[in-house]
Amino acid sequence: MLRPWQVHFRIDEREEKTVFLKLTNLISQEILNGRLVQGTMLPGSRSLSKELGINRKTVQAVYEELEAQGWLVTRPRKGTFVADVLPEKQLQIESVSELKVNDKPIIQEVIQRPHNDGVPDPRLIPYELFSRAYRHALIKITQNQYMGYGDPRGMIELRQALQQMLSMERFMNVAEDEICVVRGSQMGIFLASRALPNRQGVIVVEELYYPSAFKAFQSNGFQVVTVKLDGQGIVIEDLERILQEYSVAAIYTTPHHQYPTTVTMPMSRRLQLLELSKKWGFYIIEDDYDHEFHYDSRPMPPLASLPHSELVIHVGSLSKVFAPGIRLGYIVAAPPIIHSITGDILLIDRQGNNITELALADLMQRGEIKRHIRKMKKIYKLRRDHALAEFQRVFAQSIQIQPPAGGMALWVKFQKTFTQEQLIKLKELNIDAEHKFKQEEHPNCSIRFGFAALSEKEITALIENLNNILNKNK
């Protein structure tokens, strides 16, 4: 393509520590300030690397990073362009802002940005990729007249894509009629408990638990009993005690990264849990909410993939891969459970969103979701490591953190119990203290700190502000 003027950049006067950050920040800021308007063609990686005197791979990495965040789009055999649809301005590029962390404005900005207990960063969604997938899905639905009611279990294309993913990635040998698509894992948890044959029994949850699951079980009329936790998850001996005292319909567990403590249940304890399920006849609702994000080793196979897993109801989600707004989860269970769940879906929702389901199926089948996951794992691992280092730098020996093998959050235990004033301040920062995750009133000295949705500078600023709150009168 003939261009009347070539776009030029200068990075030699910038203050960032690496060339990658210098160029990433420069291009994103040029887009935001209007110098690079939508549709502007950028120099090729070879010519830009030659102009700036830097490695071509660095330019390619910068373009890939900005494309993943939605600022650029690459068109085959044409070049790299500023995207026609830019990310929301309030979600401006994480990077890597020029402001110093110690400047008060950046700390105030971080305070105003809602914190979370472990969700993905919506600024990293590949918006152009998503928009193309949605356009293709809409065309397919129109051409094939899919606008009427469909299968309440979900579009067959998505269930087939999920079946392949579960087989290849999670060792789960499941049939299409054992998969049901739902609007997020919360809906899956709610429907799974409604489908339990023993509606008069109790549901056991871990003593530190996911509050929304607890409420879902109570709303379905179940008594909820808690089982003790240790450094390896559920304490089997305490579960055996509960089994002798109660008629247990199911146990709800988050074995991959226990919510909220991030502990991974080892294989030996998983097998013990499954043996008890077989012996006593109770179901296991396995919430595998962030299986994709495991950094230091291969992820542990889910309970649903192991021997004696006939009574496991596996609940998963694609929301953690992209953003909470992508309301798409799935349930894997034996056909009678899926049949019961389908009956409830017909009463409350009839079916999911055909366009979203087809779009996600297309992205899965073309390998784009796998590619996105690989990229996010690298970014989130860096953020996890940075958060661990910053907590150690700021709080030193006054905290305990067991570095999680994966996930999107840290469980941070402090030496001193929080005061009421400190709990109020933590709530203002949207940081969840320990009491949110348990029934009994005990001293609060731990928090769940989500790192995935924050840039490294935002992490540092938030931890320093946390230190100001907790050590104000020290």
Side-chain angles (χ1 to χ4, degrees):
M1 177 183 292
L2 183 63
R3 288 173 288 183
W5 303 104
Q6 173 74 45
V7 178
H8 295 282
F9 298 104
R10 289 186 60 188
I11 63 172
D12 52 320
E13 297 178 356
R14 297 189 67 87
E15 298 180 357
E16 293 91 340
K17 293 182 180 179
T18 67
V19 173
F20 173 84
L21 294 183
K22 288 181 179 182
L23 187 56
T24 301
N25 282 346
L26 176 61
I27 294 176
S28 65
Q29 289 168 0
E30 296 283 40
I31 294 172
L32 289 171
N33 65 27
R35 181 180 177 231
L36 299 179
V37 300
Q38 284 103 318
T40 300
M41 186 176 185
L42 297 181
S45 59
R46 190 186 302 277
S47 61
L48 185 56
S49 64
K50 184 176 180 180
E51 176 185 347
L52 297 177
I54 62 178
N55 193 301
R56 184 186 179 192
K57 290 185 177 179
T58 302
V59 178
Q60 291 173 331
V62 169
Y63 281 4
E64 288 176 3
E65 172 67 22
L66 293 174
E67 182 179 6
Q69 296 184 22
W71 300 92
L72 302 181
V73 56
T74 299
R75 295 169 185 156
R77 297 183 298 278
K78 291 185 178 180
T80 300
F81 300 80
V82 177
D84 293 329
V85 180
L86 297 176
E88 295 291 336
K89 288 204 172 181
Q90 63 265 31
L91 300 179
Q92 290 175 7
I93 201 130
E94 65 163 35
S95 70
V96 258
S97 148
E98 294 263 69
L99 296 176
K100 300 289 189 300
V101 171
N102 292 327
D103 289 346
K104 289 183 180 179
I106 190 73
I107 294 179
Q108 184 64 30
E109 181 181 342
V110 172
I111 292 173
Q112 293 173 352
R113 175 180 170 82
H115 186 49
N116 61 81
D117 66 349
V119 296
D121 192 338
R123 295 171 293 187
L124 303 181
I125 292 177
Y127 289 97
E128 181 65 25
L129 195 65
F130 249 68
S131 63
R132 287 201 303 268
Y134 271 88
R135 285 196 297 270
H136 293 159
L138 186 57
I139 292 170
K140 184 174 182 179
I141 281 178
T142 303
Q143 291 176 341
N144 293 278
Q145 298 182 349
Y146 285 165
M147 297 301 284
Y149 289 127
D151 194 324
R153 295 173 300 179
M155 297 292 286
I156 185 62
E157 291 87 346
L158 181 56
R159 286 189 286 129
Q160 288 174 340
L162 287 168
Q163 179 190 33
Q164 184 179 28
M165 180 271 288
L166 293 169
S167 173
M168 302 296 288
E169 295 282 331
R170 305 192 192 178
F171 314 100
M172 293 170 59
N173 183 21
V174 298
E176 292 169 9
D177 63 352
E178 295 175 316
I179 301 174
C180 181
V181 178
V182 291
R183 294 180 185 267
S185 58
Q186 179 61 33
M187 180 178 177
I189 294 166
F190 178 85
L191 292 175
S193 63
R194 283 186 57 84
L196 295 173
N198 182 8
R199 294 296 299 276
Q200 303 303 313
V202 306
I203 292 184
V204 179
V205 302
E206 296 144 336
E207 63 180 346
L208 291 167
Y209 51 75
Y210 178 44
S212 295
F214 189 99
K215 293 175 183 177
F217 302 146
Q218 285 187 323
S219 72
N220 282 329
F222 287 99
Q223 179 186 356
V224 183
V225 175
T226 59
V227 62
K228 291 180 180 178
L229 288 171
D230 63 13
Q232 295 186 327
I234 291 171
V235 176
I236 296 297
E237 292 76 14
D238 193 48
L239 178 58
E240 290 176 320
R241 174 191 62 80
I242 293 171
L243 290 168
Q244 295 186 17
E245 292 183 12
Y246 298 92
S247 172
V248 175
I251 180 169
Y252 167 80
T253 182
T254 50
H256 191 240
H257 298 123
Q258 199 279 329
Y259 190 98
T261 67
T262 76
V263 168
T264 297
M265 185 186 294
M267 180 60 71
S268 59
R269 201 165 289 192
R270 291 172 188 242
L271 295 175
Q272 285 180 294
L273 179 59
L274 289 166
E275 285 284 355
L276 287 177
S277 171
K278 179 184 177 182
K279 176 181 177 181
W280 290 86
F282 63 85
Y283 280 81
I284 301 173
I285 301 175
E286 177 183 27
D287 186 355
D288 202 19
Y289 64 95
D290 66 353
H291 188 95
E292 293 78 12
F293 299 107
H294 208 80
Y295 312 128
D296 298 332
S297 60
R298 289 189 60 81
M300 195 77 70
L303 293 168
S305 71
L306 300 175
H308 309 308
S309 60
E310 292 81 6
L311 298 181
V312 174
I313 303 174
H314 182 89
V315 181
S317 173
L318 293 177
S319 301
K320 293 291 187 182
V321 175
F322 294 107
I326 307 296
R327 302 309 306 150
L328 201 148
Y330 53 90
I331 302 171
V332 181
I337 295 293
I338 296 296
H339 179 74
S340 177
I341 288 170
T342 302
D344 281 334
I345 290 175
L346 287 169
L347 292 174
I348 63 174
D349 197 34
R350 185 55 181 86
Q351 67 182 55
N353 186 316
N354 288 352
I355 297 175
T356 296
E357 291 180 20
L358 279 179
L360 268 293
D362 179 57
L363 291 173
M364 292 181 76
Q365 290 164 349
R366 291 193 289 110
E368 295 292 353
I369 288 184
K370 181 66 175 178
R371 177 177 176 271
H372 180 71
I373 289 171
R374 283 200 299 266
K375 182 176 180 59
M376 294 304 97
K377 284 174 66 174
K378 293 178 182 178
I379 293 173
Y380 294 159
K381 182 179 187 299
L382 290 173
R383 293 180 179 184
R384 179 203 64 173
D385 294 345
H386 180 75
L388 288 168
E390 288 298 273
F391 266 110
Q392 186 61 40
R393 177 184 68 84
V394 173
F395 289 96
Q397 303 303 314
S398 63
I399 58 167
Q400 292 180 13
I401 307 177
Q402 182 62 40
M408 299 181 174
L410 305 177
W411 185 248
V412 186
K413 185 175 182 179
F414 294 83
Q415 287 182 344
K416 294 184 178 180
T417 301
F418 303 138
T419 66
Q420 192 60 39
E421 180 184 359
Q422 289 170 341
L423 288 172
I424 292 172
K425 292 293 185 181
L426 289 173
K427 188 175 181 180
E428 290 174 357
L429 290 181
N430 289 313
I431 295 178
D432 292 324
E434 189 174 349
H435 68 280
K436 180 177 179 179
F437 309 107
K438 58 188 178 184
Q439 275 184 301
E440 297 82 8
E441 283 296 328
H442 290 298
N444 288 280
C445 60
S446 299
I447 62 169
R448 183 171 165 93
F449 183 92
F451 57 78
L454 301 173
S455 70
E456 292 187 0
K457 290 198 173 186
E458 289 168 338
I459 289 170
T460 295
L462 188 57
I463 291 174
E464 290 183 344
N465 196 58
L466 184 61
N467 182 48
N468 291 336
I469 291 172
L470 299 181
N471 294 313
K472 182 176 180 181
N473 299 318
K474 191 172 179 180

